[in-house]
Amino acid sequence: MTNQFLTFNLDNCLYAFKVFKVQEVLTYTPPVKVPCSSSYVEGLINSRDTGISVIDLRKKFKLQSKEPDKESRIIVVEVNKPTEADPDHICSFGAVCDSVQEVLEVEEMSIEPPPKFGNNISSEFISGLVKKDSNFIIILDEEKIFSEEDILKSN
């Protein structure tokens, strides 16, 4: 079975989200700042007439900060976060990245488990690794990147 992933660049490393979780990719526009939010929450943007919280992945992953440029994008991702009132509750979040690369088809058998150590970001955010040419692509677990705290603050 094959899976599709949207690959993107962040601090000269390749990362990926599952394509079926990606709503859209937007050109970077500065979000409206939200008071009292987490340091990695950039603010809000309007997407499809809905306010979307935008997360700076560099800050979330404790990477060196970088000013957005003409290549920067906001990837709008759907996250399943059931609540007592709504077990099918879905939230949308924006994730700032340095650039979007391509949609990649990957055989499920070629996805390796995340490493236990030696990476820049916490392994709790990684669902797997894929080797492409001589590089690794880090597959992110969007359900864990966008925390309950983020969701509570965005509702």
Side-chain angles (χ1 to χ4, degrees), residues 7 21 47 52 54 66 77 80 88 93-94 98 112 145 150:
T7 62
K21 292 289 194 169
S47 172
I52 304 285
V54 176
K66 175 186 175 247
V77 180
N80 300 324
D88 298 321
F93 285 91
D98 296 346
E112 299 177 25
I145 290 171
D150 299 328

Side-chain angles (χ1 to χ4, degrees), residues 4 9 13 19 29 33 38 43 56 60 66 69 74-75 85 94 98 101 111 118 121 132 142 152:
Q4 290 187 322
N9 191 299
C13 291
V19 163
T29 54
K33 298 288 182 199
S38 301
D56 183 330
K60 179 82 175 184
K66 175 186 175 247
D69 59 26
I74 297 174
I75 304 170
D98 296 346
Q101 301 301 305
I111 298 173
I121 65 171
K132 182 181 181 212
E142 63 284 329
L152 291 172

Side-chain angles (χ1 to χ4, degrees), residues 10-30:
L10 192 64
D11 198 33
N12 296 315
C13 291
L14 282 175
Y15 295 88
F17 284 127
K18 297 173 203 94
V19 163
F20 74 89
K21 292 289 194 169
V22 175
Q23 267 184 357
E24 60 187 325
V25 177
L26 304 170
T27 301
Y28 181 84
T29 54

